[in-house]
Amino acid sequence: MLTKRIIPCLDVTLDEAGGTVVKGVEFLDLRKAGDPVELAKRYNEQGADELVFLDITASHEGRDTMIDVIQRTANEVFIPLTVGGGIGSVERIREILRAGADKVSINTAAVKNPQLVREGADIFGSQCIVVAIDCKRNTDVENNPDKTIIELEDGSRVWYEVVIYGGRKRTGVDTVQWAKKVEELGAGEILLTSMDRDGTYDGFDLPITRKLSEELEIPIIASGGVGGPEHMQEGFVEGKADAGLAASIFHFGEYTVDDVKKHLRKNNVPVRP
């Protein structure tokens, strides 16, 4: 098994403070978790392998990502930083990378304009382009024979629908088919978030995580639902993910990055020092 990455996620909204980390449940009922720069410094010191910074209302509000907060965050951390939210053009990708990001995460804009993935990969390299896929279970399998039907743990059958604008809009797009397409377009990595599990502390959505991990060649970052180190373990062992992303357990002091890594080492899941 290859070394697995632990990635804290900073979901940031623009407010009177200039940017605040928040966390909700299924993308709703957001509560404040702190200053993004201070949290980034904390996770850098705890031994996080990477950080993800998501401006979660930029696309919905039709505005650009918070450049100044990104610059301040990048100046304080010495691990790879991925930035997403409101990135809709090659020029914007260039601006984010110049601000100090190592990678950009594209979600809504990629669905609306898939060629942006190809253009970004051609210009900046696939290693810089992460496609974020937010998905939600859809139980209407009878009327969707063209979708990838997945059997859940309880034997029920669903397909996973891509949602955009921070989970506010369904697209009718099949998650597995979309993931394969962006891989072909040149994406270097996929950040997969199950909206059904987001903030629930119930663990990753293992069926869709495992499906993408098995069918794609590029790395899959599992996201949504981590309530403790054992969920990270499940994501790597059962979900076959390459990296695990979490927010709530780190932001609110329930676990540190080191706590998670110690648990994984104890259970023979290889992680970086």
Side-chain angles (χ1 to χ4, degrees), residues 179-228:
K180 291 180 177 179
K181 180 174 181 178
V182 299
E183 181 179 44
E184 293 171 1
L185 289 169
E189 204 163 19
I190 286 176
L191 171 54
L192 174 71
T193 302
S194 168
M195 190 173 171
D196 300 286
R197 293 299 180 95
D198 177 70
T200 64
Y201 286 69
D202 291 334
F204 292 123
D205 195 324
L206 296 175
I208 185 62
T209 303
R210 182 167 52 247
K211 184 70 172 177
L212 292 195
S213 298
E214 289 175 344
E215 300 220 359
L216 275 68
E217 296 295 326
I218 58 177
I220 305 297
I221 305 170
S223 168
V226 172

Side-chain angles (χ1 to χ4, degrees), residues 14 82 92 105 113 134 140 145 149 160 166 187 213 238 241:
L14 186 63
T82 299
R92 195 60 184 166
S105 171
N113 176 24
D134 296 338
D140 184 10
I149 309 302
Y160 285 81
S213 298
E238 298 177 41

Side-chain angles (χ1 to χ4, degrees), residues 4 23 43 50 56 65 84 86 104 119-120 169 175 216 253 257:
K4 304 299 184 180
K23 194 68 195 85
Y43 301 140
E50 300 183 18
I56 60 172
T65 319
V104 296
E119 292 172 13
K169 182 179 180 181
T175 295
L216 275 68
V257 174

Side-chain angles (χ1 to χ4, degrees), residues 9-20:
C9 181
L10 306 174
D11 290 334
V12 184
T13 60
L14 186 63
D15 63 3
E16 64 279 357
T20 299

